Amino acid sequence: MTTRYNKWVVIAVTTTLLLTTPLWVLVSFLFEPGNENWLHLVDTLLPEYIINSLWLMFGVTIGSLTLGVSSAWLISQHDFFGKKILHWALLLPLAMPAYIIAYTYTGLLEFEGPVQSTLRAFFDPQTVNAWFPEVRSLQGAIVMLSLVLYPYVYLLARTAFSGNTQQIMNASRTLGAGPYRRFFVIALPMARPAVVAGVTLALMETLADFGTVQYFGVPTFTTGIYRTWTGFGDTTTTAQLALLLLAFVSILIAIELWSRKKAEYFAQGTKSASLPATKLSGHKSGLAFMVCLIPVAFGFLIPATQLLTWSIQNAETGFNSEFLTLIWNSFHLAAITAIVAASIALLLAYVQRIHNSRTTRLSKRIVTLGYAIPGTVIAVAVMIPFAWLDNTLDSWMRNTFNISTGLLLSGTLFALVFAYTFRFLSISLQTVESGLKQIKPSMDDSARTLGANRWTILLKIHLPLLNRSLLVAFLLVFVEVLKELPTTLILRPFNFNTLSVKAYEMASDERLADAGLPALLIVLTGLIPVILLSKAIGKSHV
């Protein structure tokens, strides 16, 4: 029995090592001495990368807190006009990638856009030009990221406000505490761990963002990594810059883990029945409605409408064979990755189920780090060992057989799928684990007494029962791959475009209307996980 278990553990550990090998190769550059490019980077651009990244993090913290906490408090504690729609509509910005919302607002707010053109028609053009803010700026990037990342704070804050802290909230309400006192003195301090966790997740996404800051011309770590790799081809400098970004992410991961533990601590206790939500009427109901509508409108409705307008305007010329090729490239790449990720997740989750040891738990924890690592870092981490293997094999084949093997790994779809799988495996693994927990261990024991081995139990019993969980895992990874931009830009094969890359290229060429159709398709597909999430929380008390 122990031998069989050990075989399963070996499979899990081997899979983890293979998937994370690029990460360890990247970490090895920590011990490499800095070259001239690195020293030049430290003296010139690196301070700007750090300062801009810190300002982005500070601004997104303020923006996501303001939008997320206020809407979560109103939805969880009050009853007002439109609440039944807004409680799930507040999740819609999750379907809107930050780089896409950046394109839409640039088209709306730029000099020739409809907003400035309308203002110049009614007011003095020179006055409008003088005071109208520049959307393509650091401040603009903060606004764009805040509009699409506040749902992380909203979800966790809403759960905290509606959770076990409700018992104390109910007691304070019966003792006469007003809404402001209940919020600032009781609810917010008790929800602080959950709110910090939500902000930390938003900041991880902020550090990982590439499309928005690149398009807005804001130098950050991700744009610096991309430019260093494509401009200088300097492996050492690129790797060390990626490691510095990874250090920032590691700090955020530590904060998130600390917040999660604190949230679990504060969540202890007996949950009491909730008192009815405070009924708002008149101008208070209208104000609450507007506060919750603003992030939905600016984070989804307005940009989605602009994308739809561009798509309709360019449908005749944009919907052609090239666009169909983009759809095929994007969808089949996302499907392959989703199948691979779901299969590996099923294997790792099953191994931990039958052999829940420190080794299997550590393997699972390590392999799920990919989701917290920015796409640019993962792309560089994958490219370095793959390029080395290609060059080594090609050199050996030339010297031995006078044959060039070319690029077998780097610059191929295999490299893309490998990088995607490592980055998004955590999503599949969590979903599959959740499904496995619903299957009683007694079913495994019964099958074992009837002579079934572990593979038979997995294929004949667990797999049919996990069809829903596997489908959800497939869809979630599928959507994430479809939206991913920096990894695709760095690792894609030559002359291979996807919807995200096409939208990025069109926007970079200032052809914003032409970016509408691929961007709209990405957003529509991104609604899938939002719908799944809405259904999941729809069963809870609102």
Side-chain angles (χ1 to χ4, degrees):
M1 186 73 65
T2 303
T3 303
R4 290 182 179 177
Y5 280 156
N6 287 338
K7 290 180 180 178
W8 286 93
V9 174
V10 168
I11 293 175
V13 172
T14 302
T15 303
T16 299
L17 289 175
L18 288 175
L19 281 175
T20 57
T21 294
L23 184 59
W24 309 128
V25 172
L26 183 66
V27 172
S28 69
F29 281 87
L30 186 64
F31 307 100
E32 291 284 335
N35 56 26
E36 293 182 359
N37 287 334
W38 172 254
L39 296 177
H40 175 72
L41 193 68
V42 170
D43 292 335
T44 56
L45 296 174
L46 187 58
E48 188 177 19
Y49 294 160
I50 296 175
I51 292 173
N52 285 338
S53 297
L54 290 176
W55 273 116
L56 269 178
M57 293 169 67
F58 175 76
V60 171
T61 298
I62 300 301
S64 60
L65 276 175
T66 303
L67 298 176
V69 173
S70 60
S71 56
W73 175 252
L74 289 171
I75 291 293
S76 63
Q77 299 296 317
H78 301 85
D79 190 12
F80 55 90
F81 170 77
K83 174 185 173 180
K84 291 184 178 179
I85 296 177
L86 289 171
H87 90 273
W88 59 262
L90 282 161
L91 300 174
L92 288 175
L94 285 174
M96 186 74 64
Y99 61 89
I100 289 180
I101 199 175
Y103 304 158
T104 59
Y105 275 109
T106 299
L108 286 168
L109 302 177
E110 64 182 353
F111 182 81
E112 296 295 337
V115 174
Q116 287 203 52
S117 299
T118 302
L119 289 175
R120 286 195 299 271
F122 290 94
F123 303 100
D124 179 52
Q126 292 184 350
T127 303
V128 173
N129 297 338
W131 67 260
F132 199 88
E134 175 60 51
V135 63
R136 296 174 69 169
S137 61
L138 175 63
Q139 295 78 11
I142 289 173
V143 173
M144 299 300 109
L145 290 166
S146 298
L147 286 173
V148 298
L149 296 179
Y150 82 84
Y152 289 110
V153 179
Y154 164 73
L155 275 174
L156 294 178
R158 177 186 162 187
T159 302
F161 291 148
S162 303
N164 291 326
T165 56
Q166 190 71 28
Q167 183 178 4
I168 300 177
M169 294 288 296
N170 294 341
S172 65
R173 186 188 300 182
T174 57
L175 292 174
Y180 294 103
R181 185 174 180 82
R182 291 201 307 271
F183 176 73
F184 288 106
V185 178
I186 301 173
L188 194 57
M190 295 193 68
R192 183 177 58 189
V195 172
V196 170
V199 171
T200 305
L201 292 173
L203 293 183
M204 288 183 189
E205 293 291 337
T206 300
L207 284 176
D209 177 76
F210 170 79
T212 307
V213 291
Q214 171 76 357
Y215 183 64
F216 278 8
V218 180
T220 62
F221 280 112
T222 52
T223 60
I225 292 170
Y226 181 76
R227 291 171 184 172
T228 303
W229 179 262
T230 57
F232 295 101
D234 187 341
T235 301
T236 301
T237 302
T238 305
Q240 290 174 338
L241 190 58
L243 285 171
L244 190 56
L245 174 56
L246 199 57
F248 274 72
V249 175
S250 300
I251 294 173
L252 291 177
I253 293 175
I255 295 174
E256 198 273 334
L257 291 174
W258 171 83
S259 301
R260 189 182 303 173
K261 291 180 180 178
K262 290 290 184 180
E264 290 173 356
Y265 172 78
F266 283 112
Q268 293 176 359
T270 304
K271 186 176 181 179
S272 64
S274 299
L275 290 177
T278 303
K279 179 72 174 179
L280 300 179
S281 59
H283 71 279
K284 291 184 177 180
S285 176
L287 181 61
F289 175 78
M290 290 303 300
V291 169
C292 293
L293 178 64
I294 285 173
V296 177
F298 287 94
F300 183 81
L301 296 179
I302 293 175
T305 302
Q306 178 63 77
L307 291 177
L308 181 61
T309 302
W310 284 340
S311 300
I312 293 174
Q313 291 174 351
N314 293 272
E316 187 174 348
T317 57
F319 196 81
N320 49 29
S321 59
E322 181 186 0
F323 184 68
L324 294 177
T325 301
L326 289 175
I327 295 176
W328 165 250
N329 289 346
S330 303
F331 278 52
H332 95 270
L333 187 60
I336 292 172
T337 305
I339 292 172
V340 172
S343 301
I344 295 176
L346 177 61
L347 176 64
L348 294 177
Y350 184 62
V351 170
Q352 185 172 2
R353 177 185 176 91
I354 64 178
H355 192 67
N356 189 14
S357 65
R358 181 180 300 178
T359 302
T360 56
R361 289 194 298 271
L362 181 61
S363 296
K364 187 197 77 172
R365 191 171 300 173
I366 292 174
V367 84
T368 56
L369 288 175
Y371 193 64
I373 301 175
T376 48
V377 175
I378 290 180
V380 171
V382 169
M383 181 63 77
I384 291 173
F386 279 23
W388 178 84
L389 286 172
D390 280 341
N391 292 330
T392 301
L393 179 60
D394 185 67
S395 178
W396 182 80
M397 290 294 290
R398 284 176 180 272
N399 295 332
T400 306
F401 302 104
N402 197 28
I403 298 175
S404 176
T405 56
L407 300 179
L408 298 178
L409 297 176
S410 56
T412 65
L413 290 183
F414 177 82
L416 265 178
V417 173
F418 185 95
Y420 288 150
T421 301
F422 177 48
R423 175 140 167 72
F424 302 122
L425 180 61
S426 175
I427 302 174
S428 283
L429 191 54
Q430 291 179 13
T431 306
V432 173
E433 277 187 325
S434 177
L436 270 178
K437 289 178 181 178
Q438 306 302 317
I439 303 175
K440 295 181 179 180
S442 58
M443 297 186 67
D444 298 45
D445 299 334
S446 300
R448 293 286 287 170
T449 59
L450 294 174
N453 59 31
R454 294 296 182 185
W455 281 111
T456 303
I457 295 173
L458 175 62
L459 298 176
K460 297 291 184 67
I461 298 177
H462 289 169
L463 198 57
L465 294 175
L466 287 172
N467 55 5
R468 180 178 176 82
S469 296
L470 289 172
L471 177 61
V472 172
F474 174 90
L475 290 174
L476 292 177
V477 174
F478 183 94
V479 172
E480 290 294 336
V481 171
L482 206 65
K483 295 191 295 184
E484 179 63 20
L485 178 61
T487 306
T488 313
L489 276 174
I490 295 176
L491 294 177
R492 64 187 172 126
F494 178 74
N495 205 27
F496 181 89
N497 271 1
T498 63
L499 291 168
S500 60
V501 172
K502 187 65 175 179
Y504 169 79
E505 290 179 344
M506 293 296 99
S508 299
D509 292 339
E510 302 301 330
R511 297 167 58 186
L512 291 172
D514 292 329
L517 201 56
L520 180 64
L521 187 54
I522 292 173
V523 172
L524 292 177
T525 310
L527 287 173
I528 295 175
V530 175
I531 293 172
L532 294 175
L533 186 58
S534 299
K535 288 184 176 180
I537 68 173
K539 300 177 182 178
S540 62
H541 172 70
V542 298

